[in-house]
mmCIF file with all atom_site columns, all heavy atoms in Angstrom:
data_model
loop_
_atom_site.group_PDB
_atom_site.id
_atom_site.type_symbol
_atom_site.label_atom_id
_atom_site.label_alt_id
_atom_site.label_comp_id
_atom_site.label_asym_id
_atom_site.label_entity_id
_atom_site.label_seq_id
_atom_site.pdbx_PDB_ins_code
_atom_site.Cartn_x
_atom_site.Cartn_y
_atom_site.Cartn_z
_atom_site.occupancy
_atom_site.B_iso_or_equiv
_atom_site.pdbx_formal_charge
_atom_site.auth_seq_id
_atom_site.auth_comp_id
_atom_site.auth_asym_id
_atom_site.auth_atom_id
_atom_site.pdbx_PDB_model_num
ATOM 1   N N   . GLN A 1 26 ? -26.167 15.121 18.266 1.00 33.00 ? 26 GLN A N   1
ATOM 2   C CA  . GLN A 1 26 ? -27.574 15.462 17.945 1.00 33.00 ? 26 GLN A CA  1
ATOM 3   C C   . GLN A 1 26 ? -28.534 14.522 18.650 1.00 33.00 ? 26 GLN A C   1
ATOM 4   O O   . GLN A 1 26 ? -29.588 14.942 19.154 1.00 33.00 ? 26 GLN A O   1
ATOM 5   C CB  . GLN A 1 26 ? -27.758 15.415 16.439 1.00 33.00 ? 26 GLN A CB  1
ATOM 6   C CG  . GLN A 1 26 ? -27.035 16.542 15.710 1.00 33.00 ? 26 GLN A CG  1
ATOM 7   C CD  . GLN A 1 26 ? -27.074 16.387 14.228 1.00 33.00 ? 26 GLN A CD  1
ATOM 8   O OE1 . GLN A 1 26 ? -27.579 15.405 13.714 1.00 33.00 ? 26 GLN A OE1 1
ATOM 9   N NE2 . GLN A 1 26 ? -26.553 17.380 13.509 1.00 33.00 ? 26 GLN A NE2 1
ATOM 10  N N   . LEU A 1 27 ? -28.239 13.240 18.656 1.00 30.00 ? 27 LEU A N   1
ATOM 11  C CA  . LEU A 1 27 ? -29.117 12.266 19.356 1.00 30.00 ? 27 LEU A CA  1
ATOM 12  C C   . LEU A 1 27 ? -29.222 12.575 20.832 1.00 30.00 ? 27 LEU A C   1
ATOM 13  O O   . LEU A 1 27 ? -30.298 12.530 21.403 1.00 30.00 ? 27 LEU A O   1
ATOM 14  C CB  . LEU A 1 27 ? -28.566 10.846 19.150 1.00 30.00 ? 27 LEU A CB  1
ATOM 15  C CG  . LEU A 1 27 ? -28.790 10.225 17.750 1.00 30.00 ? 27 LEU A CG  1
ATOM 16  C CD1 . LEU A 1 27 ? -28.052 8.903  17.650 1.00 30.00 ? 27 LEU A CD1 1
ATOM 17  C CD2 . LEU A 1 27 ? -30.257 10.011 17.481 1.00 30.00 ? 27 LEU A CD2 1
ATOM 18  N N   . ASP A 1 28 ? -28.079 12.945 21.457 1.00 36.00 ? 28 ASP A N   1
ATOM 19  C CA  . ASP A 1 28 ? -28.074 13.281 22.851 1.00 36.00 ? 28 ASP A CA  1
ATOM 20  C C   . ASP A 1 28 ? -28.993 14.462 23.134 1.00 36.00 ? 28 ASP A C   1
ATOM 21  O O   . ASP A 1 28 ? -29.809 14.483 24.040 1.00 36.00 ? 28 ASP A O   1
ATOM 22  C CB  . ASP A 1 28 ? -26.685 13.652 23.343 1.00 36.00 ? 28 ASP A CB  1
ATOM 23  C CG  . ASP A 1 28 ? -25.877 12.410 23.718 1.00 36.00 ? 28 ASP A CG  1
ATOM 24  O OD1 . ASP A 1 28 ? -26.477 11.306 23.803 1.00 36.00 ? 28 ASP A OD1 1
ATOM 25  O OD2 . ASP A 1 28 ? -24.667 12.541 23.890 1.00 36.00 ? 28 ASP A OD2 1
ATOM 26  N N   . SER A 1 29 ? -28.874 15.514 22.282 1.00 38.00 ? 29 SER A N   1
ATOM 27  C CA  . SER A 1 29 ? -29.678 16.713 22.500 1.00 38.00 ? 29 SER A CA  1
ATOM 28  C C   . SER A 1 29 ? -31.115 16.473 22.233 1.00 38.00 ? 29 SER A C   1
ATOM 29  O O   . SER A 1 29 ? -31.963 17.140 22.820 1.00 38.00 ? 29 SER A O   1
ATOM 30  C CB  . SER A 1 29 ? -29.110 17.880 21.595 1.00 38.00 ? 29 SER A CB  1
ATOM 31  O OG  . SER A 1 29 ? -29.291 17.522 20.249 1.00 38.00 ? 29 SER A OG  1
ATOM 32  N N   . LEU A 1 30 ? -31.431 15.516 21.320 1.00 39.00 ? 30 LEU A N   1
ATOM 33  C CA  . LEU A 1 30 ? -32.814 15.266 21.003 1.00 39.00 ? 30 LEU A CA  1
ATOM 34  C C   . LEU A 1 30 ? -33.498 14.304 21.991 1.00 39.00 ? 30 LEU A C   1
ATOM 35  O O   . LEU A 1 30 ? -34.659 14.482 22.325 1.00 39.00 ? 30 LEU A O   1
ATOM 36  C CB  . LEU A 1 30 ? -32.923 14.614 19.605 1.00 39.00 ? 30 LEU A CB  1
ATOM 37  C CG  . LEU A 1 30 ? -32.652 15.595 18.428 1.00 39.00 ? 30 LEU A CG  1
ATOM 38  C CD1 . LEU A 1 30 ? -32.612 14.820 17.112 1.00 39.00 ? 30 LEU A CD1 1
ATOM 39  C CD2 . LEU A 1 30 ? -33.734 16.665 18.370 1.00 39.00 ? 30 LEU A CD2 1
ATOM 40  N N   . TYR A 1 31 ? -32.759 13.304 22.502 1.00 40.00 ? 31 TYR A N   1
ATOM 41  C CA  . TYR A 1 31 ? -33.425 12.243 23.275 1.00 40.00 ? 31 TYR A CA  1
ATOM 42  C C   . TYR A 1 31 ? -33.013 12.166 24.705 1.00 40.00 ? 31 TYR A C   1
ATOM 43  O O   . TYR A 1 31 ? -33.631 11.472 25.501 1.00 40.00 ? 31 TYR A O   1
ATOM 44  C CB  . TYR A 1 31 ? -33.110 10.890 22.567 1.00 40.00 ? 31 TYR A CB  1
ATOM 45  C CG  . TYR A 1 31 ? -33.713 10.840 21.205 1.00 40.00 ? 31 TYR A CG  1
ATOM 46  C CD1 . TYR A 1 31 ? -32.905 10.889 20.072 1.00 40.00 ? 31 TYR A CD1 1
ATOM 47  C CD2 . TYR A 1 31 ? -35.081 10.719 21.032 1.00 40.00 ? 31 TYR A CD2 1
ATOM 48  C CE1 . TYR A 1 31 ? -33.467 10.821 18.806 1.00 40.00 ? 31 TYR A CE1 1
ATOM 49  C CE2 . TYR A 1 31 ? -35.635 10.664 19.789 1.00 40.00 ? 31 TYR A CE2 1
ATOM 50  C CZ  . TYR A 1 31 ? -34.805 10.722 18.660 1.00 40.00 ? 31 TYR A CZ  1
ATOM 51  O OH  . TYR A 1 31 ? -35.392 10.664 17.407 1.00 40.00 ? 31 TYR A OH  1
ATOM 52  N N   . THR A 1 32 ? -31.952 12.858 25.149 1.00 48.00 ? 32 THR A N   1
ATOM 53  C CA  . THR A 1 32 ? -31.541 12.798 26.535 1.00 48.00 ? 32 THR A CA  1
ATOM 54  C C   . THR A 1 32 ? -32.182 13.965 27.254 1.00 48.00 ? 32 THR A C   1
ATOM 55  O O   . THR A 1 32 ? -31.978 15.140 26.882 1.00 48.00 ? 32 THR A O   1
ATOM 56  C CB  . THR A 1 32 ? -30.008 12.906 26.660 1.00 48.00 ? 32 THR A CB  1
ATOM 57  O OG1 . THR A 1 32 ? -29.457 11.830 25.906 1.00 48.00 ? 32 THR A OG1 1
ATOM 58  C CG2 . THR A 1 32 ? -29.590 12.784 28.110 1.00 48.00 ? 32 THR A CG2 1
ATOM 59  N N   . PRO A 1 33 ? -32.995 13.704 28.325 1.00 63.00 ? 33 PRO A N   1
ATOM 60  C CA  . PRO A 1 33 ? -33.605 14.829 29.052 1.00 63.00 ? 33 PRO A CA  1
ATOM 61  C C   . PRO A 1 33 ? -32.492 15.651 29.722 1.00 63.00 ? 33 PRO A C   1
ATOM 62  O O   . PRO A 1 33 ? -31.524 15.134 30.236 1.00 63.00 ? 33 PRO A O   1
ATOM 63  C CB  . PRO A 1 33 ? -34.462 14.140 30.102 1.00 63.00 ? 33 PRO A CB  1
ATOM 64  C CG  . PRO A 1 33 ? -33.936 12.756 30.203 1.00 63.00 ? 33 PRO A CG  1
ATOM 65  C CD  . PRO A 1 33 ? -33.360 12.422 28.842 1.00 63.00 ? 33 PRO A CD  1
ATOM 66  N N   . LYS A 1 34 ? -32.677 16.969 29.700 1.00 83.00 ? 34 LYS A N   1
ATOM 67  C CA  . LYS A 1 34 ? -31.652 17.903 30.219 1.00 83.00 ? 34 LYS A CA  1
ATOM 68  C C   . LYS A 1 34 ? -32.195 18.636 31.436 1.00 83.00 ? 34 LYS A C   1
ATOM 69  O O   . LYS A 1 34 ? -33.359 18.977 31.522 1.00 83.00 ? 34 LYS A O   1
ATOM 70  C CB  . LYS A 1 34 ? -31.285 18.907 29.130 1.00 83.00 ? 34 LYS A CB  1
ATOM 71  C CG  . LYS A 1 34 ? -30.716 18.299 27.840 1.00 83.00 ? 34 LYS A CG  1
ATOM 72  C CD  . LYS A 1 34 ? -29.364 17.624 28.081 1.00 83.00 ? 34 LYS A CD  1
ATOM 73  C CE  . LYS A 1 34 ? -28.785 17.117 26.780 1.00 83.00 ? 34 LYS A CE  1
ATOM 74  N NZ  . LYS A 1 34 ? -27.553 16.361 26.989 1.00 83.00 ? 34 LYS A NZ  1
ATOM 75  N N   . LEU A 1 35 ? -31.279 18.889 32.356 1.00 86.00 ? 35 LEU A N   1
ATOM 76  C CA  . LEU A 1 35 ? -31.578 19.782 33.470 1.00 86.00 ? 35 LEU A CA  1
ATOM 77  C C   . LEU A 1 35 ? -31.263 21.194 33.089 1.00 86.00 ? 35 LEU A C   1
ATOM 78  O O   . LEU A 1 35 ? -30.262 21.456 32.493 1.00 86.00 ? 35 LEU A O   1
ATOM 79  C CB  . LEU A 1 35 ? -30.748 19.355 34.708 1.00 86.00 ? 35 LEU A CB  1
ATOM 80  C CG  . LEU A 1 35 ? -31.065 17.985 35.314 1.00 86.00 ? 35 LEU A CG  1
ATOM 81  C CD1 . LEU A 1 35 ? -30.035 17.648 36.379 1.00 86.00 ? 35 LEU A CD1 1
ATOM 82  C CD2 . LEU A 1 35 ? -32.440 17.986 35.901 1.00 86.00 ? 35 LEU A CD2 1
ATOM 83  N N   . THR A 1 36 ? -32.165 22.091 33.416 1.00 90.00 ? 36 THR A N   1
ATOM 84  C CA  . THR A 1 36 ? -31.980 23.490 33.077 1.00 90.00 ? 36 THR A CA  1
ATOM 85  C C   . THR A 1 36 ? -32.147 24.333 34.350 1.00 90.00 ? 36 THR A C   1
ATOM 86  O O   . THR A 1 36 ? -32.839 23.950 35.262 1.00 90.00 ? 36 THR A O   1
ATOM 87  C CB  . THR A 1 36 ? -32.955 23.979 32.013 1.00 90.00 ? 36 THR A CB  1
ATOM 88  O OG1 . THR A 1 36 ? -34.314 23.754 32.520 1.00 90.00 ? 36 THR A OG1 1
ATOM 89  C CG2 . THR A 1 36 ? -32.828 23.197 30.734 1.00 90.00 ? 36 THR A CG2 1
ATOM 90  N N   . GLY A 1 37 ? -31.474 25.465 34.355 1.00 91.00 ? 37 GLY A N   1
ATOM 91  C CA  . GLY A 1 37 ? -31.603 26.344 35.488 1.00 91.00 ? 37 GLY A CA  1
ATOM 92  C C   . GLY A 1 37 ? -30.603 27.477 35.451 1.00 91.00 ? 37 GLY A C   1
ATOM 93  O O   . GLY A 1 37 ? -29.944 27.675 34.395 1.00 91.00 ? 37 GLY A O   1
ATOM 94  N N   . ASP A 1 38 ? -30.438 28.184 36.514 1.00 94.00 ? 38 ASP A N   1
ATOM 95  C CA  . ASP A 1 38 ? -29.566 29.360 36.600 1.00 94.00 ? 38 ASP A CA  1
ATOM 96  C C   . ASP A 1 38 ? -28.454 29.090 37.586 1.00 94.00 ? 38 ASP A C   1
ATOM 97  O O   . ASP A 1 38 ? -28.631 28.342 38.573 1.00 94.00 ? 38 ASP A O   1
ATOM 98  C CB  . ASP A 1 38 ? -30.350 30.598 37.066 1.00 94.00 ? 38 ASP A CB  1
ATOM 99  C CG  . ASP A 1 38 ? -31.456 30.953 36.128 1.00 94.00 ? 38 ASP A CG  1
ATOM 100 O OD1 . ASP A 1 38 ? -31.224 30.902 34.913 1.00 94.00 ? 38 ASP A OD1 1
ATOM 101 O OD2 . ASP A 1 38 ? -32.586 31.253 36.599 1.00 94.00 ? 38 ASP A OD2 1
ATOM 102 N N   . ILE A 1 39 ? -27.303 29.692 37.359 1.00 94.00 ? 39 ILE A N   1
ATOM 103 C CA  . ILE A 1 39 ? -26.170 29.539 38.299 1.00 94.00 ? 39 ILE A CA  1
ATOM 104 C C   . ILE A 1 39 ? -26.606 30.018 39.694 1.00 94.00 ? 39 ILE A C   1
ATOM 105 O O   . ILE A 1 39 ? -27.255 31.049 39.828 1.00 94.00 ? 39 ILE A O   1
ATOM 106 C CB  . ILE A 1 39 ? -24.953 30.352 37.810 1.00 94.00 ? 39 ILE A CB  1
ATOM 107 C CG1 . ILE A 1 39 ? -24.357 29.666 36.570 1.00 94.00 ? 39 ILE A CG1 1
ATOM 108 C CG2 . ILE A 1 39 ? -23.914 30.438 38.914 1.00 94.00 ? 39 ILE A CG2 1
ATOM 109 C CD1 . ILE A 1 39 ? -23.167 30.395 35.984 1.00 94.00 ? 39 ILE A CD1 1
ATOM 110 N N   . PHE A 1 40 ? -26.266 29.202 40.644 1.00 95.00 ? 40 PHE A N   1
ATOM 111 C CA  . PHE A 1 40 ? -26.672 29.496 42.061 1.00 95.00 ? 40 PHE A CA  1
ATOM 112 C C   . PHE A 1 40 ? -25.450 29.907 42.876 1.00 95.00 ? 40 PHE A C   1
ATOM 113 O O   . PHE A 1 40 ? -24.463 29.182 42.936 1.00 95.00 ? 40 PHE A O   1
ATOM 114 C CB  . PHE A 1 40 ? -27.311 28.219 42.644 1.00 95.00 ? 40 PHE A CB  1
ATOM 115 C CG  . PHE A 1 40 ? -27.713 28.398 44.092 1.00 95.00 ? 40 PHE A CG  1
ATOM 116 C CD1 . PHE A 1 40 ? -28.797 29.200 44.443 1.00 95.00 ? 40 PHE A CD1 1
ATOM 117 C CD2 . PHE A 1 40 ? -27.004 27.736 45.101 1.00 95.00 ? 40 PHE A CD2 1
ATOM 118 C CE1 . PHE A 1 40 ? -29.202 29.319 45.775 1.00 95.00 ? 40 PHE A CE1 1
ATOM 119 C CE2 . PHE A 1 40 ? -27.378 27.909 46.441 1.00 95.00 ? 40 PHE A CE2 1
ATOM 120 C CZ  . PHE A 1 40 ? -28.469 28.668 46.764 1.00 95.00 ? 40 PHE A CZ  1
ATOM 121 N N   . VAL A 1 41 ? -25.533 31.074 43.475 1.00 93.00 ? 41 VAL A N   1
ATOM 122 C CA  . VAL A 1 41 ? -24.476 31.564 44.307 1.00 93.00 ? 41 VAL A CA  1
ATOM 123 C C   . VAL A 1 41 ? -24.926 31.460 45.752 1.00 93.00 ? 41 VAL A C   1
ATOM 124 O O   . VAL A 1 41 ? -25.939 32.072 46.167 1.00 93.00 ? 41 VAL A O   1
ATOM 125 C CB  . VAL A 1 41 ? -24.089 33.020 43.977 1.00 93.00 ? 41 VAL A CB  1
ATOM 126 C CG1 . VAL A 1 41 ? -22.984 33.509 44.917 1.00 93.00 ? 41 VAL A CG1 1
ATOM 127 C CG2 . VAL A 1 41 ? -23.692 33.150 42.522 1.00 93.00 ? 41 VAL A CG2 1
ATOM 128 N N   . GLU A 1 42 ? -24.229 30.662 46.556 1.00 89.00 ? 42 GLU A N   1
ATOM 129 C CA  . GLU A 1 42 ? -24.601 30.449 47.947 1.00 89.00 ? 42 GLU A CA  1
ATOM 130 C C   . GLU A 1 42 ? -24.283 31.656 48.803 1.00 89.00 ? 42 GLU A C   1
ATOM 131 O O   . GLU A 1 42 ? -23.238 32.220 48.737 1.00 89.00 ? 42 GLU A O   1
ATOM 132 C CB  . GLU A 1 42 ? -23.895 29.198 48.510 1.00 89.00 ? 42 GLU A CB  1
ATOM 133 C CG  . GLU A 1 42 ? -24.455 27.905 47.973 1.00 89.00 ? 42 GLU A CG  1
ATOM 134 C CD  . GLU A 1 42 ? -23.926 26.694 48.756 1.00 89.00 ? 42 GLU A CD  1
ATOM 135 O OE1 . GLU A 1 42 ? -23.814 26.839 50.009 1.00 89.00 ? 42 GLU A OE1 1
ATOM 136 O OE2 . GLU A 1 42 ? -23.625 25.683 48.144 1.00 89.00 ? 42 GLU A OE2 1
ATOM 137 N N   . LYS A 1 43 ? -25.256 32.034 49.629 1.00 91.00 ? 43 LYS A N   1
ATOM 138 C CA  . LYS A 1 43 ? -25.055 33.071 50.630 1.00 91.00 ? 43 LYS A CA  1
ATOM 139 C C   . LYS A 1 43 ? -24.666 32.423 51.962 1.00 91.00 ? 43 LYS A C   1
ATOM 140 O O   . LYS A 1 43 ? -24.892 31.266 52.167 1.00 91.00 ? 43 LYS A O   1
ATOM 141 C CB  . LYS A 1 43 ? -26.392 33.873 50.809 1.00 91.00 ? 43 LYS A CB  1
ATOM 142 C CG  . LYS A 1 43 ? -26.772 34.818 49.684 1.00 91.00 ? 43 LYS A CG  1
ATOM 143 C CD  . LYS A 1 43 ? -28.069 35.486 49.999 1.00 91.00 ? 43 LYS A CD  1
ATOM 144 C CE  . LYS A 1 43 ? -28.017 36.281 51.285 1.00 91.00 ? 43 LYS A CE  1
ATOM 145 N NZ  . LYS A 1 43 ? -29.309 36.981 51.575 1.00 91.00 ? 43 LYS A NZ  1
ATOM 146 N N   . LYS A 1 44 ? -24.065 33.242 52.799 1.00 93.00 ? 44 LYS A N   1
ATOM 147 C CA  . LYS A 1 44 ? -23.714 32.790 54.136 1.00 93.00 ? 44 LYS A CA  1
ATOM 148 C C   . LYS A 1 44 ? -24.895 33.066 55.072 1.00 93.00 ? 44 LYS A C   1
ATOM 149 O O   . LYS A 1 44 ? -25.530 34.138 54.997 1.00 93.00 ? 44 LYS A O   1
ATOM 150 C CB  . LYS A 1 44 ? -22.461 33.499 54.678 1.00 93.00 ? 44 LYS A CB  1
ATOM 151 C CG  . LYS A 1 44 ? -21.194 33.088 53.985 1.00 93.00 ? 44 LYS A CG  1
ATOM 152 C CD  . LYS A 1 44 ? -19.964 33.714 54.621 1.00 93.00 ? 44 LYS A CD  1
ATOM 153 C CE  . LYS A 1 44 ? -19.761 33.203 56.055 1.00 93.00 ? 44 LYS A CE  1
ATOM 154 N NZ  . LYS A 1 44 ? -18.513 33.731 56.673 1.00 93.00 ? 44 LYS A NZ  1
ATOM 155 N N   . TYR A 1 45 ? -25.214 32.091 55.907 1.00 95.00 ? 45 TYR A N   1
ATOM 156 C CA  . TYR A 1 45 ? -26.266 32.229 56.898 1.00 95.00 ? 45 TYR A CA  1
ATOM 157 C C   . TYR A 1 45 ? -25.757 31.722 58.219 1.00 95.00 ? 45 TYR A C   1
ATOM 158 O O   . TYR A 1 45 ? -24.761 30.983 58.321 1.00 95.00 ? 45 TYR A O   1
ATOM 159 C CB  . TYR A 1 45 ? -27.467 31.397 56.518 1.00 95.00 ? 45 TYR A CB  1
ATOM 160 C CG  . TYR A 1 45 ? -28.131 31.738 55.178 1.00 95.00 ? 45 TYR A CG  1
ATOM 161 C CD1 . TYR A 1 45 ? -27.845 31.009 54.012 1.00 95.00 ? 45 TYR A CD1 1
ATOM 162 C CD2 . TYR A 1 45 ? -29.023 32.811 55.101 1.00 95.00 ? 45 TYR A CD2 1
ATOM 163 C CE1 . TYR A 1 45 ? -28.444 31.348 52.826 1.00 95.00 ? 45 TYR A CE1 1
ATOM 164 C CE2 . TYR A 1 45 ? -29.621 33.120 53.882 1.00 95.00 ? 45 TYR A CE2 1
ATOM 165 C CZ  . TYR A 1 45 ? -29.329 32.395 52.742 1.00 95.00 ? 45 TYR A CZ  1
ATOM 166 O OH  . TYR A 1 45 ? -29.931 32.690 51.557 1.00 95.00 ? 45 TYR A OH  1
ATOM 167 N N   . GLU A 1 46 ? -26.466 32.071 59.241 1.00 95.00 ? 46 GLU A N   1
ATOM 168 C CA  . GLU A 1 46 ? -26.309 31.412 60.563 1.00 95.00 ? 46 GLU A CA  1
ATOM 169 C C   . GLU A 1 46 ? -27.319 30.266 60.586 1.00 95.00 ? 46 GLU A C   1
ATOM 170 O O   . GLU A 1 46 ? -28.482 30.466 60.801 1.00 95.00 ? 46 GLU A O   1
ATOM 171 C CB  . GLU A 1 46 ? -26.579 32.422 61.682 1.00 95.00 ? 46 GLU A CB  1
ATOM 172 C CG  . GLU A 1 46 ? -26.372 31.861 63.062 1.00 95.00 ? 46 GLU A CG  1
ATOM 173 C CD  . GLU A 1 46 ? -24.895 31.742 63.445 1.00 95.00 ? 46 GLU A CD  1
ATOM 174 O OE1 . GLU A 1 46 ? -24.017 32.240 62.710 1.00 95.00 ? 46 GLU A OE1 1
ATOM 175 O OE2 . GLU A 1 46 ? -24.638 31.204 64.548 1.00 95.00 ? 46 GLU A OE2 1
#
Side-chain angles (χ1 to χ4, degrees):
Q26 289 171 357
L27 285 172
D28 276 348
S29 63
L30 288 173
Y31 296 108
T32 303
K34 300 293 184 184
L35 292 173
T36 59
D38 300 317
I39 289 179
F40 178 72
V41 179
E42 286 193 38
K43 286 178 61 179
K44 288 185 67 175
Y45 300 99
E46 183 76 7

